[in-house]
C-alpha cells in the first residue's frame, strides 16, 4: 500500500474513533505491517505540522488520537466556554434517557438499546456530572452506570421515582427486558 | 377545473394484445396499493402516464384484481375498496373511449372528464413521490457510509465546560426515553381487525329468514336495528342479496335513497339455501412494515 | 484573517465538537464575518477532497462537522458498532417522502396521496425517530406529523429547504397544481 493510501486509511479511522487506537490494532484493521503503520503515522504527523493544520495527531497512553492544536487553545477554550457546548446533543439526551429509565445499566446494554457505540457520549455524560459509576455487574464484571443527584436537580425532580411514566404503548417492562436482553446477550 | 385533458388515451390493437398476453405471463414486482399497480402496468407498457393507452391498462388492472381475489391470501375490505375505486374510474374512462367521440356537452361527460383528470392528477402526484423515495434511498445509502466524528471532549477542555443544560423538561425527557426504548426491530402489526369476530353471511341469512317469515315485510332499517356493528349490517345486506338470488324476497324502494322495503315471497317453512361464497376466511394483507 | 489562518481556526474548533456547529457560531467565536466563514468552510472542504483525505467536512442538519470519507466505509465499519438498522421498506420511504414535502401533514392526507392505509408505516417512522407529531389540525383535530432533525442527518441534508424540488417530478400540465390542491385538502 502506498503512503498516500495508508494516510487515507489512518485518517478515516482516527477521525471517528473515540479514544486512542494502538498501532497494532490499526495494523490489523488496515492489514499492513505494524512498522509501516508506525512510519505512516509519523509522516502524517509531520505533514500536519508542516501544513499548519488546526489539529494534530498525538500518541497518548499507548495509542493515537486527534487533538486540536495546542496553539489554537485560546480559541478552542473560548468556544467551549461560550455556552454553545452547554446544551446536550440529541445523542447525549437519548443515552441519558436510556440510563435514567434502565439504571443501573452497563455501557454495552445502552449501546445495544441505542444501536450505536455510546462510548464517547457516556464519557461526556460522566464528565458533565449527569451520570456516575455504580458498581459492577455480577457475572460480566461490566461497569454499571446510574444518574446522579445533579441530574435530578437539572431536571427539577426530587427522585428517580418522579420520572414521568413511559407511555402505556410500550410493552410491559417484563416483556421489554426480555426483548432487550436478547439484544444485549 | 381545467378542461385540458391530462391524458390522451390512445388504444391501439397492438397494445391490447400485448397487454393480454403479457398480463398473465409476466410477474409484477410487489406493489403497494392501486396507484402503485397502475404505475407498474403503465411502465410495463413503456407508456407515458400522460398518454396512457387506457384500454390495455384497464383490462390488466381488472385482471390483476381478479387474480388477487382468487389468490390464497385473499383481500380485506379496505384494500378491495381502494382498488375498486380506481378500477371503476378506469372502466368509466374506457367505456367513454369506446363511444363515438363527440363534444363534451353533457353533464355526465363533464363528470367523466373530471374523474379522469382527478385520477391522473393523483397518479402523477404519486409517481412524483415514488421518484423522490428513490432519491431518499440513494441519499440514505450514501449517508450510511459516512461516520460522524463523535468523540468525548479532550479532558483539559472538559474541565472548562460551563454547567450543563439538559435543555428539555421532564415530560419531553420521558418522550425521548419512550422513543429510544421502543424496540425498533419488532414489526408493527395492526391488530384492529382481530377485535371483530368474523360474521357469517349464512348465519345472518337464517336470522333474516326467521324474522321475515314472522312479519312478512320489513324495512332494511328494521332488519338491521339490532346489528352490533357495521360488519353485521354489511353481512345482512349481502345475505339479502343472496336471498333475492334465491327468489324468496322482493325489494321495494319508492325513491332513490329512500327506505328499502323487503317482502317475504318464499315458502312459509323449510330450509332456504344460501351460498357461502362470502364466508371464505379472509386474511388481512395490512401494510406491515418489516423493520 | 488569511484563508490559511481561517482554515486553521475552523479545524481546531471542529475537531473538539460532538455535534454540528453552525456558521454563525463559528463566526462569533473566530470573530470573522459569516460569509468569510462560509467561504473558508467551502474551500477547506474542496481542499480535503483534492488532497484525497480519509475524512471530509460536511454541512448536515444545520451545521458543520467531520465525517470519515464514504469510500473508507468498509474500513471504518470494522471499528464502529453501527446500529445496522434494517433498511426502510419501499412503503416507508414513499410515506417519508410525502411527509417531508407536505409537512405538517395528517395521516389521512398521506393515505390519500399514497392511495393506501399508512397507519403501520407511520408508527414505524415515528418509532425510528424519522417522524414526530407536530400538533393537531385546527378543524379536524387530526394529529399532524413532521420530519425530525434525525431525518435530516439520515439523509445528509442541511435543512428541509435542501430537499430536491418536487416540481421537476411533476409534468408541466395546466391545472395540475389546482387539481392537486383540491385533492389533498
Amino acid at each position: 500500500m502506498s503512503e498516500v493510501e495508508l494516510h487515507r486509511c489512518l485518517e478515516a479511522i482516527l477521525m471517528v474513533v473515540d479514544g486512542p487506537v494502538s498501532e497494532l490494532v490499526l495494523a490489523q484493521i488496515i492489514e499492513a505491517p505494524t512498522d509501516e503503520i508506525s512510519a505512516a503515522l509519523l509522516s502524517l504527523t509531520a505533514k500536519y505540522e508542516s501544513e499548519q493544520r488546526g489539529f494534530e495527531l498525538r500518541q497518548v497512553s499507548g495509542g493515537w488520537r486527534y487533538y486540536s492544536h495546542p496553539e489554537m487553545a485560546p480559541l478552542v477554550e473560548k468556544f467551549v466556554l461560550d455556552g454553545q457546548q452547554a446544551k446536550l446533543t440529541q445523542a447525549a439526551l437519548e443515552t441519558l434517557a436510556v440510563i435514567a429509565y434502565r439504571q443501573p445499566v452497563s455501557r454495552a446494554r445502552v449501546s445495544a438499546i441505542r444501536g450505536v457505540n455510546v462510548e464517547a457520549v457516556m464519557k461526556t455524560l460522566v464528565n458533565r456530572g449527569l451520570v456516575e459509576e455504580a458498581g459492577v455487574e455480577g457475572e460480566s464484571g461490566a461497569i454499571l452506570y446510574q444518574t446522579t443527584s445533579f441530574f435530578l436537580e437539572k431536571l427539577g425532580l426530587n427522585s428517580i421515582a418522579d420520572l414521568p411514566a413511559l407511555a402505556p404503548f410500550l410493552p410491559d417492562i417484563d416483556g421489554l427486558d426480555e426483548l432487550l436482553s436478547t439484544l444485549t446477550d | 377545473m381545467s378542461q385540458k385533458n391530462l391524458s390522451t388515451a390512445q388504444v391501439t390493437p397492438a397494445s391490447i394484445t400485448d397487454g393480454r398476453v403479457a398480463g398473465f405471463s409476466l410477474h409484477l414486482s410487489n406493489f403497494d396499493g392501486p396507484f402503485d399497480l397502475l404505475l407498474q402496468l403503465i411502465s410495463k407498457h413503456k407508456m407515458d402516464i400522460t398518454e396512457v393507452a387506457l384500454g390495455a391498462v384497464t383490462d390488466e388492472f381488472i385482471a390483476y384484481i381478479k387474480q388477487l381475489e382468487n389468490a390464497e391470501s385473499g383481500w380485506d375490505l379496505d384494500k378491495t375498496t381502494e382498488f375498486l375505486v380506481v378500477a371503476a374510474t378506469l372502466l368509466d374512462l374506457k367505456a367513454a373511449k369506446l363511444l363515438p367521440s363527440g363534444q363534451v356537452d353533457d353533464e355526465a361527460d363533464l363528470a367523466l372528464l373530471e374523474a379522469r383528470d382527478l385520477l391522473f392528477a393523483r397518479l402523477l402526484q404519486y409517481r412524483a413521490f415514488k421518484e423522490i423515495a428513490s432519491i431518499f434511498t440513494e441519499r440514505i445509502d450514501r449517508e450510511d457510509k459516512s461516520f460522524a466524528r463523535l468523540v468525548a471532549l479532550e479532558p483539559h477542555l472538559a474541565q472548562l465546560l460551563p454547567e450543563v443544560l439538559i435543555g428539555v423538561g421532564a415530560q419531553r425527557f420521558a418522550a425521548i426515553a419512550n422513543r429510544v426504548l421502543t424496540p425498533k426491530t419488532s414489526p408493527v402489526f395492526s391488530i384492529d381487525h382481530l377485535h371483530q369476530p368474523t360474521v357469517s353471511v349464512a348465519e345472518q341469512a337464517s336470522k333474516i329468514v326467521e324474522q321475515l317469515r314472522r312479519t312478512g315485510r320489513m324495512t332494511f332499517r328494521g332488519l338491521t336495528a339490532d346489528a352490533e356493528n357495521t360488519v353485521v349490517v354489511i353481512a345482512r345486506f349481502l345475505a339479502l342479496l343472496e336471498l333475492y338470488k334465491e327468489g324468496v324476497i322482493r325489494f321495494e324502494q319508492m325513491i332513490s335513497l329512500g327506505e328499502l322495503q323487503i317482502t317475504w315471497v318464499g315458502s312459509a317453512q323449510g330450509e332456504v339455501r344460501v351460498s357461502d361464497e362470502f364466508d371464505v376466511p379472509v386474511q388481512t394483507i395490512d401494510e406491515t412494515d418489516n423493520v
Side-chain angles (χ1 to χ4, degrees), chain A, chain B:
Chain A
M1 204 181 288
S2 74
E3 190 167 58
V4 174
E5 278 175 279
L6 265 184
H7 282 173
R8 206 167 189 223
C9 293
L10 291 169
E11 284 182 333
I13 295 169
L14 292 169
M15 187 54 72
V16 299
V17 174
D18 185 46
V21 188
S22 74
E23 290 169 18
L24 197 66
V25 171
L26 287 168
Q28 281 165 354
I29 297 292
I30 300 174
E31 291 172 18
T34 313
D35 52 354
E36 271 184 36
I37 295 290
S38 306
L41 282 162
L42 287 176
S43 61
L44 193 56
T45 307
K47 201 165 159 240
Y48 287 158
E49 196 57 40
S50 72
E51 288 169 350
Q52 294 212 289
R53 295 273 166 209
F55 49 75
E56 61 175 18
L57 261 182
R58 231 187 289 161
Q59 193 174 18
V60 183
S61 61
W64 291 81
R65 186 192 197 274
Y66 275 110
Y67 287 91
S68 57
H69 198 284
E71 282 172 21
M72 296 283 119
L75 188 72
V76 175
E77 280 167 16
K78 184 176 164 199
F79 173 72
V80 171
L81 282 168
D82 179 59
Q84 295 296 338
Q85 291 293 94
K87 231 178 122 195
L88 288 180
T89 60
Q90 188 65 21
L93 262 178
E94 290 183 1
T95 306
L96 188 58
V98 173
I99 299 168
Y101 281 87
R102 290 288 175 262
Q103 58 186 310
V105 64
S106 70
R107 205 179 68 197
R109 194 155 164 204
V110 179
S111 276
I113 292 172
R114 291 217 38 241
V116 290
N117 189 322
V118 295
E119 195 179 341
V121 176
M122 211 67 164
K123 267 189 211 162
T124 301
L125 291 174
V126 172
N127 275 345
R128 318 298 315 254
L130 294 164
V131 164
E132 63 192 2
E133 292 186 7
V136 286
E137 202 166 50
E139 289 164 41
S140 65
I143 298 170
L144 293 170
Y145 293 87
Q146 66 187 16
T147 54
T148 61
S149 55
F150 178 68
F151 160 78
L152 288 176
E153 198 184 299
K154 284 275 123 188
L155 215 60
L157 299 174
N158 278 324
S159 80
I160 286 299
D162 291 343
L163 276 171
L166 293 181
F169 57 75
L170 264 185
D172 60 62
I173 296 300
D174 287 348
L176 188 67
D177 277 348
E178 210 174 295
L179 220 151
L180 291 175
S181 65
T182 63
L183 289 173
T184 41
D185 292 340
Chain B
M1 174 74 52
S2 156
Q3 284 307 314
K4 181 168 175 181
N5 295 346
L6 292 178
S7 62
T8 319
Q10 285 170 335
V11 184
T12 62
S15 68
I16 292 179
T17 320
D18 286 355
R20 283 196 184 136
V21 175
F24 292 98
S25 57
L26 265 179
H27 258 293
L28 283 182
S29 50
N30 276 342
F31 55 85
D32 186 35
F35 291 163
D36 208 6
L37 173 57
L38 204 45
L39 271 186
Q40 287 192 36
L41 288 175
I42 290 167
S43 68
K44 198 184 79 185
H45 288 283
K46 298 192 173 59
M47 288 182 288
D48 191 309
I49 197 171
T50 53
E51 242 174 69
V52 176
L54 220 39
V57 171
T58 308
D59 289 346
E60 278 197 57
F61 191 85
I62 305 292
Y64 279 113
I65 295 184
K66 282 196 184 140
Q67 246 184 350
L68 287 166
E69 272 172 346
N70 299 332
E72 276 177 29
S73 58
W75 283 62
D76 69 7
L77 194 58
D78 268 4
K79 284 261 166 188
T80 314
T81 347
E82 287 161 2
F83 277 80
L84 286 182
V85 170
V86 172
T89 316
L90 281 174
L91 274 180
D92 262 358
L93 303 179
K94 184 187 171 189
K97 275 290 141 192
L98 296 176
L99 294 171
S101 60
Q103 295 118 330
V104 181
D105 49 11
D106 175 311
E107 268 191 36
D109 285 348
L110 264 177
L112 202 56
L113 261 183
E114 275 187 26
R116 172 172 66 185
D117 285 1
L118 280 173
L119 177 65
F120 282 101
R122 291 182 69 178
L123 205 50
L124 287 169
Q125 179 176 241
Y126 176 67
R127 184 183 63 170
F129 283 119
K130 218 174 152 57
E131 282 168 27
I132 293 288
S134 71
I135 293 180
F136 279 17
T137 310
E138 285 163 24
R139 292 205 74 115
I140 291 172
D141 284 351
R142 156 75 170 76
E143 231 33 53
D144 281 347
K145 292 191 172 72
S146 282
F147 299 90
R149 175 165 173 87
L150 183 74
V151 300
L153 204 55
E154 297 163 24
H156 73 279
L157 291 170
Q159 287 165 5
L160 296 174
L161 278 175
E163 194 167 89
V164 70
L165 283 172
I166 290 187
V168 299
Q171 288 303 331
R172 178 93 187 109
F173 187 75
I176 292 169
N178 239 326
R179 180 161 69 65
V180 181
L181 289 170
T182 303
K184 293 171 183 67
T185 43
S186 57
V188 184
F189 291 106
S190 162
I191 50 162
D192 296 348
H193 59 277
L194 292 181
H195 300 311
Q196 242 160 41
T198 315
V199 181
S200 152
V201 172
E203 224 173 85
Q204 297 300 321
S206 65
K207 275 190 192 168
I208 291 170
V209 170
E210 198 182 301
Q211 272 188 299
L212 284 175
R213 273 175 172 160
R214 206 169 53 234
T215 59
R217 184 181 157 91
M218 280 186 86
T219 62
F220 182 66
R221 193 191 303 275
L223 267 175
T224 54
D226 63 334
E228 312 85 90
N229 55 47
T230 322
V231 179
V232 174
V233 176
I234 293 168
R236 288 195 188 162
F237 183 72
L238 293 174
L240 283 172
L241 293 180
E242 284 294 313
L243 292 170
Y244 182 76
K245 214 162 76 184
E246 293 301 316
V248 295
I249 57 167
R250 201 174 62 221
F251 289 118
E252 277 170 285
Q253 195 173 25
M254 303 309 279
I255 51 164
S256 171
L257 298 177
E259 199 82 66
L260 182 64
Q261 295 279 353
I262 299 113
T263 311
W264 182 255
V265 295
S267 59
Q269 274 178 351
E271 204 167 298
V272 178
R273 200 183 63 84
V274 172
S275 88
D276 60 352
E277 72 169 294
F278 292 113
D279 292 343
V280 182
V282 166
Q283 276 181 353
T284 56
I285 50 166
D286 259 11
E287 192 176 308
T288 39
D289 199 19
N290 299 318
V291 288

